[in-house]
Amino acid sequence: MDLKISNDGANDSKPFQPKPESQQPNDKQFCSIFEFLPTIFFLYLTYNFGIVTYRSRNNPWDLAFVTSCYVELMLLFYCLRKDENLTADTPTKDSDKLKGVVWVLCTLLTCTFALRISQIMPWYMNIIIWGMSASVILLGFYFFFLIQCEDAQSANKYCKLDTDHKEEKKFCELSAEDKV
C-alpha cells in the first residue's frame, strides 16, 4: 500500500518522496535565525543592571551584590562563547583551563546567590541552602573534570551531535514490508 498525498480533496497516486538534499534546511541556516538572541539577552541584562544599580545606589551591600553578579555573568558568557569557538585541534591544556575558569565562575555565582538568600532565611533553612549549593558545586566539579569521554561517539549518546540527517532519511525510506 503506497502512501498517498491528497491536495484539496483530489487523490494523487504519488508516494511520499523526501525533499532532495539541496532543499533540506541545514543546521547553519537554522542557527543563523537565532544569532541575535545573545545580543538581546546582553542588552536586557545590561538595562536591568542599570536600573537596579540606580535603585541600590544608597545601599553599598546591594550595589556590591548586583555588580558582582553582573560581572560574573558577563565573564561566564564570555568564557562560554570562547569555548563554543574552540576547534577540535585546540590543545587540551587550553580547553581544560577554560573549563576550570567556567567552573570557578559558576561556583562564585552559586555562592553569591546562596549568600544573598541565606541573609534573609532562618538558620535551619541556611543549612539546606548551603547544602544544595555545595552539592551543585561538587557535582559540577565531578562532571567537568572527573568524567572523561573516550571519544565523540560515547558523548553522542548523551547529546545528539549527528547533523547529517541520517534519521530523517531512515524515516522517509520505506522497506518492502512497510509498503505492503
Side-chain angles (χ1 to χ4, degrees), residues 2 14 16 34 36 47 59 110 113 127 131-132 139 143 148 161 168:
D2 290 337
K14 294 189 298 186
F16 175 72
F34 299 105
F36 64 92
Y47 172 74
N59 190 344
T110 302
F113 283 117
I127 295 170
M132 288 171 45
L139 284 173
F143 285 115
Q148 298 293 324
L161 299 173
E168 292 174 13

Coordinates of all heavy atoms in Angstrom, one line a residue, residues 2 14 16 34 36 47 59 110 113 127 131-132 139 143 148 161 168:
D2 N 0.8 2.1 -1.0 CA 1.5 3.3 -1.1 C 0.9 4.4 -0.3 O -0.3 4.5 -0.2 CB 1.7 3.7 -2.6 CG 2.6 2.8 -3.3 OD1 3.4 2.1 -2.7 OD2 2.5 2.8 -4.6
K14 N 1.0 9.6 -6.2 CA 2.4 9.7 -5.9 C 2.7 9.3 -4.5 O 2.1 9.8 -3.6 CB 2.9 11.1 -6.2 CG 2.8 11.5 -7.6 CD 3.5 12.9 -7.8 CE 2.9 14.0 -7.0 NZ 3.4 15.3 -7.2
F16 N 5.0 9.2 -1.0 CA 5.7 10.2 -0.3 C 7.2 10.2 -0.7 O 7.8 9.2 -0.7 CB 5.6 10.0 1.2 CG 6.5 10.9 2.0 CD1 6.1 12.2 2.1 CD2 7.6 10.5 2.6 CE1 6.8 13.1 2.9 CE2 8.4 11.3 3.4 CZ 8.0 12.7 3.5
F34 N 18.7 32.4 15.0 CA 18.8 32.8 16.4 C 20.0 33.5 16.8 O 20.3 33.6 18.0 CB 18.6 31.5 17.3 CG 17.2 30.9 17.0 CD1 17.1 29.7 16.3 CD2 16.1 31.4 17.5 CE1 15.9 29.1 16.0 CE2 14.9 30.8 17.3 CZ 14.8 29.7 16.6
F36 N 20.8 36.6 16.9 CA 20.5 37.8 17.6 C 20.2 37.6 19.0 O 20.2 38.6 19.8 CB 19.4 38.6 16.9 CG 18.1 37.9 16.9 CD1 17.2 38.2 17.9 CD2 17.7 37.0 15.9 CE1 16.0 37.5 18.0 CE2 16.5 36.3 16.0 CZ 15.6 36.6 17.0
Y47 N 20.5 46.6 30.7 CA 19.4 47.5 31.0 C 18.9 47.3 32.5 O 18.8 48.2 33.3 CB 18.3 47.4 30.1 CG 17.0 48.1 30.4 CD1 17.0 49.5 30.3 CD2 15.9 47.5 30.9 CE1 15.9 50.3 30.6 CE2 14.8 48.2 31.3 CZ 14.8 49.6 31.1 OH 13.6 50.3 31.4
N59 N 22.6 51.9 49.0 CA 22.9 50.7 49.8 C 24.1 50.0 49.3 O 24.0 49.3 48.2 CB 21.7 49.7 49.9 CG 21.8 48.6 50.9 OD1 22.9 48.3 51.4 ND2 20.7 48.0 51.2
T110 N 27.1 30.7 42.2 CA 26.3 29.9 43.2 C 26.4 30.4 44.6 O 25.4 30.6 45.3 CB 26.7 28.5 43.0 OG1 26.5 28.0 41.7 CG2 25.8 27.6 44.0
F113 N 24.7 33.9 45.1 CA 23.3 33.8 45.3 C 22.9 33.1 46.7 O 22.0 33.5 47.3 CB 22.6 33.1 44.2 CG 22.5 33.9 43.0 CD1 23.1 33.6 41.8 CD2 21.7 35.1 43.0 CE1 23.0 34.4 40.6 CE2 21.5 35.9 41.8 CZ 22.2 35.5 40.7
I127 N 21.0 25.9 56.3 CA 21.7 24.6 56.2 C 21.3 23.9 54.8 O 22.1 23.4 54.1 CB 21.3 23.7 57.4 CG1 21.9 24.2 58.7 CG2 21.8 22.2 57.1 CD1 21.4 23.5 59.9
G131 N 23.8 23.5 51.7 CA 23.9 22.1 51.3 C 23.6 21.9 49.8 O 24.3 21.2 49.1
M132 N 22.5 22.5 49.4 CA 22.2 22.4 47.9 C 23.3 23.1 47.1 O 23.7 22.6 46.0 CB 20.9 23.1 47.7 CG 19.7 22.3 48.2 SD 18.1 23.1 48.2 CE 18.0 23.9 46.6
L139 N 29.0 18.5 42.2 CA 28.5 17.7 41.0 C 29.1 18.4 39.8 O 29.4 17.7 38.8 CB 27.0 17.7 41.0 CG 26.4 16.6 41.9 CD1 24.9 16.8 41.9 CD2 26.8 15.2 41.5
F143 N 31.4 16.4 37.0 CA 31.0 16.3 35.6 C 32.0 17.1 34.7 O 32.2 16.7 33.6 CB 29.6 16.8 35.4 CG 28.6 15.8 35.8 CD1 27.7 16.1 36.8 CD2 28.5 14.5 35.2 CE1 26.8 15.1 37.3 CE2 27.6 13.6 35.6 CZ 26.7 13.9 36.7
Q148 N 35.5 11.5 31.9 CA 36.2 11.7 30.7 C 35.6 10.8 29.6 O 35.5 9.6 29.8 CB 37.7 11.3 30.8 CG 38.5 12.1 31.8 CD 38.7 13.5 31.4 OE1 38.8 13.8 30.2 NE2 38.6 14.5 32.3
L161 N 24.7 14.9 18.5 CA 25.6 15.7 17.7 C 25.5 15.4 16.2 O 26.2 16.0 15.4 CB 27.0 15.5 18.2 CG 27.3 15.9 19.6 CD1 28.7 15.5 20.0 CD2 27.1 17.4 19.8
E168 N 16.4 11.2 9.5 CA 15.4 11.7 8.6 C 15.3 10.8 7.3 O 14.2 10.5 6.8 CB 15.6 13.1 8.1 CG 15.5 14.1 9.2 CD 15.9 15.5 8.8 OE1 16.0 15.7 7.6 OE2 16.0 16.4 9.7

